[in-house]
Amino acid sequence: MTKKVGFFNLSLRRVLADGLSILDGARLRMLYYGLALAFFTLFVILADVLYQHHVILSITTGVMFVSAAVLFKFLTYRPRWTLISHLILIVGTIANVVDIFVAIQNVDVVTAEVIILIMLFSFYMLGQKPGLIYSLLNIVPALALMLLQYSNNYVIPLKPEKVDQNTSIVAMFACFVLIAIIISHFYNAFIKTFTELKETSEKQNGLTSEFEDAMRKAQKSSEAKSEFLSTMSHEIRTPLNAVIGMSNLLITGNPRPDQRENLEVLKFSAGNLLSIVNDVLDFNKIESGKLIFENIKFNMVELMQNICGGQTLTAHAKGLAFKLDVDSGLNRKVLFGDPTRITQIVFNLISNAIKFTAEGSVSVRATCIEDRHNQVTVNFAVKDTGIGIDQSRLDLIFEPFTQESISTTRQYGGTGLGLAIVKRLLELQGIKIKVNSTPGTGSEFTFNMIFPVSTEIYEPAPKQQQLAEDNDNLSAVRILIAEDNPVNVMLMKKLLSKWGITPTIAENGERAVELVQYGNFDIILMDLQMPVMNGFDAAKEIRKMRDHQKSGIPIIALTASALFDIRERVHDSGMNDYVSKPFKPNELFEKIQMLMKFPTSSFKFSDTPVVP
């Protein structure tokens, strides 16, 4: 857009806007200098034709002279170059046609130059379509006159007006100069435009290169963050493993009532710390986009009972009524899905409900709202009679590290990651969670999930016997533990001693490989991060042994790592399974039992089944 100036302005500089394009600037300059030159040229020609008493030429030249003066003033006052260009071409076309058919009644050199000038001007100023129209409006009359003269059919009662040589020379010179002005200005504009495009392209290439560098740095930063979180996870989980493990061992040792109370507090606090660490790691895993959902078989009733088992005790400890209601239509169905993530979602919702409910009840429902034989839609609902949430802050509670209010954070604590994790896990599956809440009355969180259904019929597995009753089953098991942390070694020895097992200890991966080479073991518990040789490399070396009995020894990885691909790395290194630290004794016991039952099999993580 051009600037607005005073009426008496005659300067071109004042009408050129700062943000004007190169091509538009060239158009304005060409109009300015072209109209100025046309004004003086037409003044000379007008004086000459008036002197020669050429009436028609005087009229057409006078009209163009006045038009040039008016349009020049208009240009320096309101530089609307499109309108001015049209007006110039209209006046010039009319004058040219009148001169051809009435005044000179001929197509001479000057007329040809004027037509060429109009063609160039119209194309450069207005573009292809207007340029073509104005060109034809000038070319067609000239050709028509030439054809009529050739056939001797053009006769009018007016005598042609002949201009002298001086007028022709002035007109020809002015046309050449105007053509040169048009070409020079637009040539310069095109060169500048091409140069600018080249510079822009080079800058774009530079920005692209910088962007790629920034992406590489961001990727490295993300990898460094993941490695850092993995290291911190290992460093935090390792002592937590000892704290929780020792607490469990001491509690089972018949302590005095006051000692039991202290141990329960210690265990509870360690569990809270572990929960916070897990929340941060899980949220980072989700935000990184590296979370992969499993698609394995499970039974909904069994899963919900397992989720709510511990939560029921927590609710009752607060004096809350706890109710679990699972649709009976799901009792015998085997579903495909990710039970780990379902557990994480429902567990977080229940934990929140219990945390923010001082009195009343918490109820959990899993209702089959649609059954299509090969798939079911289950509605999950967690309802409480707690403090409730203000409607204006419902969206805020799902933001990471945020709770409903500062007072809520101070009173109830927590990281504010629970609901953020729930929302992200559901969104990654294309599911939206709904909240119905009234302050002071309570809240209800609901969402629907679709599960493919297996053709199998679910049969509940017989309950595992207590560990104390199974000591005889494991007393003869030869276990090798590869662990460099002395506290964890002591913990494992104490734990296995309760099962009647005396393990062999290897302080690093290299020592573990040597002991397997020269000894006989039934199962190996392998820590992953060890000096000299880590657990992954040690497992690979064991799998390469020529003795098939040794190379086929079941290996369970014990890891406190939080790397996203830990399961794949464990599997790729040849290990059979893994247990995360801090681990539950029952979980480790069951996995040892399973692998000892099938000592020569290559146990793998559940493969994804074909969805029916």
Side-chain angles (χ1 to χ4, degrees), residues 250-260 263:
L250 290 172
I251 288 173
T252 59
N254 296 319
R256 299 193 310 268
D258 60 322
Q259 291 175 331
R260 176 178 289 277
L263 289 171

Side-chain angles (χ1 to χ4, degrees), residues 166-451:
N166 293 333
T167 304
S168 298
I169 292 172
V170 171
M172 289 175 62
F173 177 76
C175 285
F176 279 128
V177 172
L178 285 171
I179 290 171
I181 289 174
I182 293 172
I183 294 174
S184 65
H185 275 84
F186 280 96
Y187 175 79
N188 186 47
F190 290 147
I191 293 299
K192 285 184 178 179
T193 302
F194 290 145
T195 303
E196 193 175 76
L197 286 173
K198 183 180 178 181
E199 292 175 354
T200 302
S201 177
E202 291 174 352
K203 288 180 181 179
Q204 185 66 38
N205 291 335
L207 289 173
T208 301
S209 178
E210 291 177 5
F211 176 74
E212 291 174 352
D213 290 341
M215 287 294 292
R216 282 193 291 269
K217 289 179 181 178
Q219 186 175 359
K220 289 181 180 178
S221 176
S222 177
E223 292 173 355
K225 183 181 75 171
S226 298
E227 290 292 342
F228 171 76
L229 286 172
S230 175
T231 302
M232 290 304 298
S233 166
H234 184 271
E235 295 303 318
I236 294 174
R237 285 170 182 259
T238 298
L240 274 178
N241 179 53
V243 172
I244 295 174
M246 284 297 181
S247 300
N248 286 326
L249 288 174
L250 290 172
I251 288 173
T252 59
N254 296 319
R256 299 193 310 268
D258 60 322
Q259 291 175 331
R260 176 178 289 277
E261 182 180 357
N262 292 337
L263 289 171
E264 291 291 351
V265 171
L266 178 63
K267 182 181 177 182
F268 177 79
S269 299
N272 278 348
L273 178 58
L274 179 62
S275 177
I276 293 171
V277 172
N278 287 340
D279 280 349
V280 174
L281 295 173
D282 284 338
F283 186 76
N284 178 67
K285 190 183 296 183
I286 294 168
E287 290 294 288
S288 70
K290 295 183 178 180
L291 187 69
I292 298 175
F293 289 94
E294 290 184 318
N295 199 22
I296 62 176
K297 297 176 183 178
F298 70 98
N299 175 258
M300 184 62 70
V301 177
E302 182 183 42
L303 179 66
M304 293 300 292
Q305 288 174 347
N306 289 340
I307 295 172
C308 296
Q311 298 286 50
T312 302
L313 299 176
T314 306
H316 290 165
K318 286 189 69 174
L320 304 176
F322 189 95
K323 181 181 179 182
L324 170 63
D325 182 14
V326 184
D327 198 316
S328 59
L330 300 172
N331 285 349
R332 306 295 300 277
K333 292 185 183 294
V334 176
L335 308 180
F336 289 112
D338 191 336
T340 301
R341 298 306 166 192
I342 297 171
T343 299
Q344 198 169 7
I345 293 168
V346 176
F347 185 88
N348 274 327
L349 290 175
I350 298 173
S351 296
N352 258 28
I354 295 173
K355 179 192 294 186
F356 297 112
T357 303
E359 59 182 16
S361 64
V362 173
S363 61
V364 182
R365 296 193 316 274
T367 308
C368 181
I369 59 175
E370 187 176 19
D371 188 348
R372 295 184 178 179
H373 301 295
N374 64 336
Q375 71 175 27
V376 296
T377 302
V378 179
N379 172 262
F380 294 88
V382 177
K383 187 176 182 179
D384 63 65
T385 59
I387 61 175
I389 308 161
D390 189 85
Q391 292 294 318
S392 63
R393 302 184 69 84
L394 285 179
D395 292 334
L396 184 64
I397 62 173
F398 292 104
E399 293 301 315
F401 309 105
T402 305
Q403 291 186 342
E404 199 267 341
S405 66
I406 295 177
S407 61
T408 301
T409 304
R410 289 173 178 171
Q411 183 175 353
Y412 296 97
T415 60
L417 281 176
L419 290 180
I421 291 172
V422 168
K423 184 182 179 183
R424 299 294 198 279
L425 286 174
L426 290 174
E427 284 179 343
L428 288 173
Q429 301 174 80
I431 301 170
K432 186 175 181 180
I433 188 168
K434 297 179 181 178
V435 187
N436 184 18
S437 183
T438 304
T441 302
S443 306
E444 183 176 22
F445 293 80
T446 62
F447 60 92
N448 296 336
M449 294 187 79
I450 299 174
F451 301 97

Side-chain angles (χ1 to χ4, degrees), residues 115-158:
I115 293 173
I116 293 172
L117 178 63
I118 289 174
M119 290 173 62
L120 289 173
F121 184 84
S122 61
F123 274 105
Y124 280 130
M125 292 299 296
L126 301 175
Q128 182 180 12
K129 188 175 180 180
L132 186 60
I133 293 173
Y134 284 113
S135 297
L136 291 175
L137 288 176
N138 285 270
I139 293 172
V140 170
L143 290 175
L145 177 65
M146 293 172 67
L147 290 172
L148 289 172
Q149 287 178 336
Y150 179 75
S151 60
N152 296 320
N153 290 325
Y154 185 73
V155 178
I156 61 173
L158 297 175

Side-chain angles (χ1 to χ4, degrees), residues 531-599:
V532 185
M533 180 183 289
N534 63 43
F536 298 111
D537 294 336
K540 291 177 182 177
E541 291 298 320
I542 292 171
R543 295 301 184 224
K544 292 178 184 177
M545 292 181 177
R546 295 182 179 181
D547 187 336
H548 294 297
Q549 187 174 358
K550 295 181 183 296
S551 63
I553 297 174
I555 303 176
I556 298 177
L558 300 178
T559 176
S561 174
L563 283 176
F564 306 130
D565 58 348
I566 189 67
R567 182 168 58 182
E568 287 76 12
R569 291 183 63 187
V570 166
H571 177 270
D572 293 342
S573 64
M575 287 183 265
N576 304 90
D577 204 345
Y578 82 101
V579 175
S580 296
K581 297 176 184 177
F583 58 82
K584 298 176 181 177
N586 281 338
E587 180 184 6
L588 178 61
F589 183 82
E590 289 172 4
K591 295 201 176 199
I592 292 175
Q593 271 195 325
M594 185 192 322
L595 293 174
M596 289 302 299
K597 185 178 180 181
F598 307 105

